[in-house]
Amino acid sequence: MIDAVFKVAIVGNQGVGKTSLLAAFTNEQNRSIVVPTVGVDFKMHTSSVDGRMVKLHLWDTSGDTRPCSLMITTSYYRAADGFLLVVDTSNLQSLHDLEGWLLRLDQFAPSRAVRLLVGVVKHGREREVSSSAARAFAAEHGMAYEEVGEGGDARAPFTALIRSMWDRPSALARAAKGEV
């Protein structure tokens, strides 16, 4: 039995590791080549967290910031229960660019949606964003921070996001009751 259904959007610049993070979480990381996301990719995943079953509708968005792409991807923000904002720890610009992603979320996402910052540590690359800098950025914007090694176990950020969403009414549950 499913206890909750949550819609989660994964956002951030192109190439920061959004698709790889999702593939690691959904156990689809056996792809030798990761193809860049065009528009939005959708996956469903069921997990048990703290003894409760949750179905996640996962929207892996393109990091493309051209107006036509943003028009498509921001439409997925409107009913989201949570957001994973992804930063590449080997790319300082990806952290700075999160300000723009946060502005888009402020404009298009529900105010009740939970936000969590995820740092993807890419193997063999020099680190430009320290854990302390990412934590400070997250705290400044009212978010928690989780870090994941590229291709490693990606459950921690998703589990943290699910726990944060439990107490907030799901957009899908509200829709079923005719409240949306």
Side-chain angles (χ1 to χ4, degrees):
M1 181 173 108
I2 301 295
D3 296 303
V5 179
F6 295 120
K7 179 180 175 187
V8 175
I10 305 168
V11 301
N13 283 3
Q14 288 179 328
V16 294
K18 299 181 300 293
T19 300
S20 296
L21 177 72
L22 182 57
F25 177 65
T26 59
N27 296 316
E28 296 178 3
Q29 52 192 12
N30 53 355
R31 293 191 255 168
S32 58
I33 299 173
V34 176
V35 179
T37 304
V38 177
V40 177
D41 189 19
F42 174 75
K43 297 206 182 314
M44 287 195 310
H45 185 78
T46 303
S47 291
S48 177
V49 175
D50 301 332
R52 296 185 279 188
M53 291 301 292
V54 60
K55 181 181 278 189
L56 297 175
H57 292 190
L58 300 161
W59 299 94
D60 176 12
T61 65
S62 164
D64 192 347
T65 56
R66 291 178 297 177
C68 60
S69 293
L70 285 175
M71 190 169 58
I72 294 167
T73 57
T74 55
S75 68
Y76 290 90
Y77 298 175
R78 297 186 200 292
D81 299 298
F83 291 91
L84 292 178
L85 289 99
V86 182
V87 61
D88 173 356
T89 62
S90 65
N91 181 342
L92 183 58
Q93 189 61 47
S94 71
L95 181 67
H96 295 310
D97 290 347
L98 284 178
E99 294 287 353
W101 293 105
L102 287 166
L103 287 172
R104 285 186 274 290
L105 293 185
D106 289 342
Q107 184 177 4
F108 296 105
S111 60
R112 69 180 189 310
V114 177
R115 301 171 183 188
L116 187 132
L117 180 62
V118 182
V120 175
V121 180
K122 296 190 176 179
H123 305 297
R125 295 212 184 150
E126 187 176 330
R127 191 172 186 127
E128 293 182 7
V129 179
S130 68
S131 291
S132 59
R135 285 187 200 291
F137 181 90
E140 179 183 332
H141 295 283
M143 297 183 282
Y145 176 69
E146 295 283 339
E147 202 163 88
V148 174
E150 185 177 42
D153 187 352
R155 287 178 292 187
F158 288 92
T159 299
L161 187 67
I162 290 166
R163 286 181 176 138
S164 296
M165 292 185 298
W166 277 124
D167 297 327
R168 297 180 185 212
S170 167
L172 295 175
R174 288 189 322 279
K177 295 178 186 176
E179 298 174 4
V180 176

